[in-house]
Amino acid sequence: NERAQVFYRAGDFAAAGEAFEEAAQVARRAGVDSLARQAERALPVCAYRAAEAAVTADSTKHERHAELFEQVTKRWPEYEHAPIAQYRAGLAWLDAGRTSEAVRALEVLTERWPKHKLAREARLRIAQSWEAAGEDARASTAWLEYANRHPGDKDAPGAWLRAADLADSAGQGARADEL
């Protein structure tokens, strides 16, 4: 545990995570559950900080950043910053030019943490991403989802119009008329 803390204080969060993992395993084998739980609580923090450090070290490795942030949410979905990690994964996938992966990551956020403050922003990004990719039918559906989930939002009326326009552009005239 001391070794892990030294790594953490030095800013080597990946090494700290490995050391905390090892400390948790040793504590479990020794039957010292309180020490194991303490080490286990540090694991998601180390993983999140390691992902942040990777962005700081080289801001151009978008795919790697997305993977690191997604690892946090997959392994520790109850971690307090998991929704933020999931959102950052989506943004990193967008920066990498991988729209489908970005939308998938952002949808995970909206499904797993629908009441989180970033869920609204994630839905907005999903619609914008499909539209930017020229996926008019998907963008229309996403704008409609945004408007339905956030009916009182100042952007909801515009989202409805966007959904109708994009449905029409996608050759879905009947659907556009419905909207």
Side-chain angles (χ1 to χ4, degrees), residues 15-97:
E18 290 171 13
F20 277 119
E21 186 93 51
E22 185 180 315
Q25 291 171 1
V26 169
R28 285 267 179 239
R29 282 195 301 269
V32 186
D33 291 343
S34 61
L35 186 57
R37 282 191 301 276
Q38 180 184 14
E40 288 167 351
R41 280 192 301 272
L43 295 175
V45 176
C46 290
Y48 185 80
R49 296 290 308 271
E52 289 182 318
V55 173
T56 301
D58 185 347
S59 63
T60 65
K61 294 185 176 180
H62 307 299
E63 291 178 6
R64 179 69 182 137
H65 304 152
E67 292 165 353
L68 290 171
F69 282 116
E70 282 186 328
Q71 286 173 9
V72 173
T73 63
K74 286 178 184 171
R75 188 159 176 205
W76 301 283
E78 301 305 317
Y79 173 51
E80 66 179 313
H81 297 301
I84 298 167
Q86 191 67 39
Y87 183 72
R88 292 189 67 182
L91 296 183
W93 285 123
L94 280 176
D95 289 341

